[in-house]
Amino acid sequence: MTMFKGKTAIVTGSARGIGQAIAMDLARNGADLVICDVKAEWLSETEALLRELGGKVTCKELDVTNAEACQQVFNQVAEENGRIDVLINNAGITRDGLLMRMSDEDWDAVLTVNLKGTFNCTKAVSRIMMKQRSGSIVNIASVVGIMGNAGQANYAASKGGVIAFTKSVAKELASRNIRANAIAPGFISSKMTDALSDEVRQKMLEAIPLNAFGTPQDVADAVTFLAGDKSSYITGQVLSVNGGMIMQ
């Protein structure tokens, strides 16, 4: 498919998991990919998979918490590729723990990467997209940002912030034909969920009407839809990919 042919897409936190799946799905649909992570060497697997697909791929080392670095990298991409059409803010971390035991460092780290990192990258790309008067931004939030979760006060706050931020950005940039939406994944299959006991997995599944964990590809499919022209009249929305855990 070629819905993104001639378009440049940036995916942060694309070394593994959901970020890797998003990058690959965009590439399958014709996009020129710029993959970013805090350490460039982490991108080797994703880069190899993308090159097998035959598309253009560029690797960038990027610490999303560094605003100056974000602007420099995005300016480089715009100069090298001529434009930036899609930004996927996927970079994120967890530092789980009960509120009473949570350190200031763990609170600050999660809010800085997940929320400020999304702010830094969006601010950097918005200047470029405004000049070209087009663009699509998709922020990866979480079902936890909607419903909360014990032991994840910092993560829930950061992802709830991403959702509110997305809506504000959508209103600010709509006049320049720039759309901003968010994806809120639920329980997604990963090394973490694979390592859970059968009892814990069953308890988690009981909260999901579809009785199955999602996959990174499920999230990637939703991202590709919101990033592309088939969602051209959608902005400021949160698309939940959670098997029915929350029905809004």
Side-chain angles (χ1 to χ4, degrees), residues 7-246:
K7 294 187 176 183
T8 297
I10 299 177
V11 183
T12 68
S14 44
R16 59 182 68 87
I18 289 174
Q20 184 180 89
I22 291 169
M24 292 185 65
D25 203 66
L26 290 171
R28 290 189 195 98
N29 283 277
D32 294 331
L33 263 296
V34 179
I35 53 174
C36 306
D37 220 300
V38 69
K39 292 187 178 181
E41 58 265 29
W42 292 357
L43 294 166
S44 57
E45 179 181 313
T46 303
E47 181 184 14
L49 291 170
L50 290 171
R51 294 202 182 282
E52 287 180 8
L53 295 175
K56 180 179 178 181
V57 55
T58 305
C59 298
K60 297 286 186 181
E61 184 170 304
L62 177 62
D63 177 358
V64 298
T65 69
N66 185 326
E68 184 178 351
C70 290
Q71 193 65 67
Q72 288 178 347
V73 167
F74 283 54
N75 287 345
Q76 289 172 1
V77 172
E79 184 176 347
E80 293 165 0
N81 292 50
R83 58 189 297 110
I84 299 174
D85 301 282
V86 175
L87 167 63
I88 312 299
N89 282 308
N90 172 72
I93 62 170
T94 58
R95 295 286 188 275
D96 295 348
L98 295 175
L99 176 64
M100 293 296 292
R101 300 174 183 171
M102 186 174 291
S103 67
D104 288 354
E105 290 77 13
D106 285 347
W107 173 271
D108 290 344
V110 171
L111 269 290
T112 301
V113 174
N114 298 2
L115 184 54
K116 188 176 181 183
T118 297
F119 162 76
N120 286 339
C121 291
T122 302
K123 182 178 179 181
V125 83
S126 65
R127 297 171 178 173
I128 296 164
M129 289 181 171
M130 287 175 72
K131 289 181 181 178
Q132 64 194 32
R133 300 188 72 86
S134 67
S136 180
I137 300 166
V138 182
N139 299 322
I140 306 303
S142 170
V143 68
V144 172
I146 301 171
M147 62 182 278
N149 196 34
Q152 289 191 306
N154 49 2
Y155 188 72
S158 72
K159 294 303 187 178
V162 166
I163 289 171
F165 174 75
T166 300
K167 295 177 180 181
S168 295
V169 169
K171 289 187 174 182
E172 287 192 23
L173 300 182
S175 64
R176 297 298 182 96
N177 195 35
I178 301 167
R179 298 182 298 110
N181 292 287
I183 300 286
F187 291 138
I188 304 299
S189 293
S190 64
K191 291 181 179 179
M192 181 191 74
T193 56
D194 291 343
L196 296 173
S197 68
D198 290 342
E199 181 180 355
V200 172
R201 286 173 59 86
Q202 185 57 39
K203 186 175 181 179
M204 293 170 70
L205 287 171
E206 287 173 0
I208 306 171
L210 286 180
N211 196 38
F213 293 121
T215 68
Q217 187 60 49
D218 290 326
V219 180
D221 288 340
V223 170
T224 296
F225 168 68
L226 286 179
D229 293 339
K230 289 187 176 182
S231 60
S232 60
Y233 198 54
I234 299 175
T235 195
Q237 303 304 308
V238 182
L239 178 55
S240 293
V241 182
N242 61 34
M245 280 182 62
I246 291 182

